[in-house]
Amino acid sequence: MFGIRVLIYLLGIALVIWILMRLAKTPRVEKKSAKKVGDMVRCTHCGMYVPRHEAIQDSDRHYCCTRHRDEDRKL
Ligand SMILES: [Zn+2]
């Protein structure tokens, strides 16, 4: 009879495999953020397209640089 000791041993191995599999497939969020980076907005002043995260936002308008935002405000 080797009963319980073997059972605990097998459960231990199963647990280790389960933990390793979980660690292997953790980062799956990157795809979503990569799509966000590809989102382009148009500069209201010069019409150039810039990534949304790099654009300067002024209420509902977007600008490629602070200079264009300031020049648009003067008008
Ligand atoms: Zn511009």
Side-chain angles (χ1 to χ4, degrees), residues 5-60:
R5 210 182 270 185
V6 173
L7 199 70
I8 290 167
Y9 181 70
L10 289 173
L11 276 172
I13 290 170
L15 189 73
V16 169
I17 290 167
W18 181 72
I19 289 166
L20 286 174
M21 278 174 80
R22 275 194 70 119
L23 287 173
K25 58 169 184 179
T26 16
R28 283 273 159 164
V29 196
E30 276 176 46
K31 208 177 177 186
K32 208 176 178 183
S33 57
K35 202 194 169 196
K36 216 175 178 182
V37 170
D39 195 10
M40 304 291 275
V41 289
R42 199 161 178 258
C43 173
T44 310
H45 189 78
C46 68
M48 194 174 87
Y49 282 93
V50 282
R52 188 180 286 276
H53 70 282
E54 282 176 24
I56 288 99
Q57 196 170 353
D58 185 30
S59 63
D60 61 333

